[in-house]
Amino acid sequence: MTFAPVRDVTARETTTARDLPAPGAAARRAPARPARRRHPHHDAPDTAPDFARIAALPDGPARDALRQRVVRAWMPMAERLALQFRNRGETVEDLRQVAMLGLVKAVHRYDPGRGTAFESFAVPTVVGEIKRHFRDHMWDVHVPRRVQELRNRVRAAHQELTRTADGRGPGVEELAAHTGMSEDEVRAGLEALGSFSTLSLDSALPGADDGYALGDTLGAAEPGFQLVVDRESLKPELRALPPREREILYLRFFCDMTQSRIAERLGISQMHVSRLISRTCDRLYERVMGRVA
């Protein structure tokens, strides 16, 4: 009987601790992750050296030219901030212009010696300029700044409290309790909600298919009102007239008779009737106007 030679499996197939990779070696061989950008946007250039030069330069053409270069470098950021306010009643081009104005102000006012990044200073400056534009130029009916702030608080609270299952709008008491404002302040804010933008009188009413406009619902001055006032003021003075003068006025102005027919009926001349009518009317006018005065 023959036996196959015994192989030294232990020596060939056993893995020793020396054959294992060292701890952390795989991690060291993995590609390094790219460094995270300092700014989340691509419109934040590094202009710190330029601001340092601006601070060192005296007023003059060189300093102005360097400021203009910095403004051009940060214009994409200003445009991004302007687009956040689109669809609010102002054109995009006007928003860009206002944002650029805020950017110019930020570049002129920035002091690198304070140790803050320019972006941290420029963003609130540009946004504040845009909000100021809306506050001062976009209201169709100008209201005080305090009322505008009340309006913004009431609008935000109204949106929060309306997000309920039944969709019921909050009342004045609920808005006051939610915002910590008084009920009078809430009412002032509610009145200002419709002051930002107004409706044209030519705008069609909702659901009107016949071109019925808002202006068609407005009333006009009723001329009969003044006539009623005049008649009621004249009644007591007419009652106080002598019978013949009262009869003459009645026949002339209520029966539409001519002066000749009145004279024939009363047995007097037409000239006398004319003088009586004129004298009586003057007396009534003086009495009514004197009582009103």
Side-chain angles (χ1 to χ4, degrees):
M1 178 180 294
T2 59
F3 297 91
V6 179
R7 294 180 300 171
D8 188 2
V9 178
T10 303
R12 294 185 180 182
E13 297 182 5
T14 301
T15 303
T16 64
R18 290 178 298 178
D19 298 327
L20 293 175
R28 288 194 298 269
R29 290 194 298 268
R33 294 181 179 180
R36 182 176 298 179
R37 290 178 56 87
R38 180 180 178 183
H39 299 288
H41 304 286
H42 297 283
D43 51 19
D46 184 11
T47 54
D50 294 329
F51 278 113
R53 289 182 56 195
I54 291 174
L57 287 174
D59 291 335
R63 191 179 192 188
D64 294 339
L66 191 55
R67 279 176 171 169
Q68 292 179 8
R69 189 173 73 180
V70 173
V71 169
R72 287 192 296 268
W74 286 92
M75 284 175 61
M77 180 208 67
E79 183 171 357
R80 171 174 58 84
L81 296 176
L83 293 179
Q84 295 178 1
F85 293 85
R86 63 183 181 273
N87 300 327
R88 298 190 184 184
E90 183 62 288
T91 62
V92 175
E93 184 59 32
D94 287 344
L95 289 175
R96 289 196 182 101
Q97 293 294 330
V98 176
M100 298 308 165
L101 176 61
L103 175 61
V104 171
K105 291 181 178 180
V107 171
H108 279 257
R109 298 173 182 173
Y110 176 66
D111 182 8
R114 295 181 178 272
T116 59
F118 174 72
E119 185 178 13
S120 302
F121 176 79
V123 170
T125 303
V126 174
V127 172
E129 190 70 24
I130 297 174
K131 290 183 176 179
R132 190 179 303 109
H133 173 76
F134 275 93
R135 185 192 68 205
D136 297 340
H137 302 286
M138 294 301 297
W139 286 72
D140 290 342
V141 179
H142 182 72
V143 297
R145 181 175 181 179
R146 173 180 173 276
V147 179
Q148 294 182 20
E149 295 174 352
L150 294 178
R151 176 247 189 194
N152 295 334
R153 294 174 60 185
V154 169
R155 182 183 61 178
H158 192 279
Q159 293 175 350
E160 294 175 2
L161 295 177
T162 307
R163 297 169 185 169
T164 57
D166 55 1
R168 180 183 60 86
V172 175
E173 296 181 357
E174 296 176 86
L175 291 171
H178 184 77
T179 58
M181 301 160 55
S182 66
E183 294 187 5
D184 290 339
E185 291 176 333
V186 171
R187 292 189 184 94
L190 290 173
E191 291 177 358
L193 285 175
S195 301
F196 186 78
S197 59
T198 57
L199 287 176
S200 171
L201 294 178
D202 297 328
S203 59
L205 292 176
D209 299 331
D210 54 353
Y212 197 67
L214 180 62
D216 298 328
T217 64
L218 302 179
E222 175 55 56
F225 291 162
Q226 188 60 42
L227 182 60
V228 172
V229 173
D230 294 340
R231 284 181 175 178
E232 292 300 318
S233 300
L234 193 58
K235 277 182 180 181
E237 302 301 332
L238 289 172
R239 295 191 186 102
L241 289 175
R244 187 177 68 168
E245 296 179 5
R246 187 166 63 246
E247 183 180 4
I248 291 174
L249 293 182
Y250 175 76
L251 295 175
R252 179 69 185 91
F253 295 106
F254 290 88
C255 298
D256 200 22
M257 291 179 63
T258 63
Q259 294 181 7
S260 300
R261 290 185 59 190
I262 295 173
E264 183 181 352
R265 179 169 177 170
L266 299 179
I268 58 178
S269 66
Q270 184 267 336
M271 185 63 68
H272 192 188
V273 172
S274 177
R275 285 197 298 265
L276 287 175
I277 292 175
S278 178
R279 185 176 60 190
T280 304
C281 289
D282 290 342
R283 188 186 312 133
L284 289 173
Y285 177 81
E286 291 174 359
R287 289 179 179 177
V288 171
M289 296 306 296
R291 188 174 59 190
V292 171

